[in-house]
Amino acid sequence: MKIIVIGGGASGLTAAICAAGQGAKVTVLEAADRPAKKIYATGNGKCNLTNQKMDELCYRGMDPEFAKRTLEKFGFEETLEFFGNMGMMFKNRNGYFYPSSGQASSVAELLIHRCEEAGVSIRVNCMVKEVTKKNGTFLIRCKVQKKQGKKVLEEKEITEKCDKVILAAGSNAGGFGCEITGSRIAAQMGHCIVPEVPALTALECGQKDFFQKNSGVRTDGKITVLDEGEHILAEDTGELQLTNYGISGIPVFQVSRYASKGLYQKKEVTARIDFLPAMCEKEFLLYLSERKRKETDTVMEEFLIGVFHKKLIPVFLEYAGIGCHMKAEVVSEAEFQRLVKTCKGFPVHIIAANSFEQAQVCAGGVRTAQVKADTLESIYTPGFYLTGELLDIDGICGGYNLQWAWATGYLAGRDAAAERVHRTDRRTYDSD
């Protein structure tokens, strides 16, 4: 059994290890100059490789239930066992699991080392341009380069033959893509692609003057993303970071896919920022009123110190029509109500998501309805498997996207290496 894995990232290397461990002859074709490049950079070099909390709400796509069915076959515990068998120890930080070394390089190097031990051949600078299937055999046309640094010394085209193909080419997110994407190869094989957009990324906003003045401010907040009909698309709470172009931080990353999707569909996308999520409007108004009775001589610019970041106070007062040097005792109830509305629902116009290069993952990809959840095999082409970020499933921050890579890679590698006499009996494959 000869299997070719296209892509030497998280899901590709996992698939290769699993398939080779069952006796298959496995070759990994990697377009970059070394495998696992994205893993080395994951989690700011620390690699949050899985999470103890696993449910369908942690995954998005046209059919999030697909992720649930897949992760029931290979989930959190299986991931710990898989890496534990390679000799990895873990740090558990409130359910977020990291390698004990604290280095993403440990994860990458263990996977590469295990591939070498299993006899997997890894070819770098090998870009797959086309996959076809003829008379039961897959033909893979590649552009192979010989490089010295960034200089190309030699380039040639070759065609590889194999019995099975595992497409684990990922996406362009993180700046690790190439001119021939996994989605294009999947489309060559007849698969439909849900449009891909950047996800887990920062958002560019209007109100440039506001953001430039407040660049670098970090504050707790709640972001709510809305479409042009004021329907809530997503919301999340945590530490927000204001940048010179817009908003960033984990909560922004979590909702960014929905903003990206809306912008791709040419919709007007807005957001509301609650800069005091710990209090409802009624509670905040009561707090201000009680403070007013106690601190009648305090000017408003000082009145809000201790509540908000100092840079934000003049902006909130300006939006509410309150002078910075007004004394609290002369501020009316109506003005306080406007101030509360401003701080609890600051309006932002989202004009763009950051590029694929700056995004951690992409949303969109191969429609999961065309893939079997328990094996990751194409329903159209027996022997052709699709894994990882290539599929229309993306996870939230917290190790979920790597968990998806391990799970889909493992299941695809295991199934691809399994010998079957009667592949025409589709009852086994279509059970989901």
Side-chain angles (χ1 to χ4, degrees), residues 42-76:
T42 298
N44 293 320
K46 295 182 180 179
C47 194
N48 178 193
L49 53 84
T50 188
N51 200 299
Q52 195 165 6
K53 178 188 174 184
M54 282 287 155
D55 61 54
E56 61 269 30
L57 296 178
C58 300
Y59 291 91
R60 292 88 170 263
M62 290 183 68
D63 179 19
E65 188 72 18
F66 181 92
K68 180 183 177 182
R69 297 198 303 272
T70 300
L71 293 168
E72 284 172 351
K73 302 288 184 180
F74 191 96
F76 162 74

Side-chain angles (χ1 to χ4, degrees), residues 357-396:
E357 189 172 280
Q358 297 164 300
Q360 291 185 20
V361 297
C362 82
V366 175
R367 287 186 58 124
T368 51
Q370 301 171 350
V371 181
K372 305 182 184 88
D374 58 342
T375 65
L376 287 305
E377 187 179 24
S378 165
I379 65 170
Y380 297 143
T381 308
F384 185 68
Y385 298 78
L386 305 104
T387 70
E389 197 179 334
L390 177 66
L391 296 162
D392 177 34
I393 292 290
D394 56 288
I396 62 174

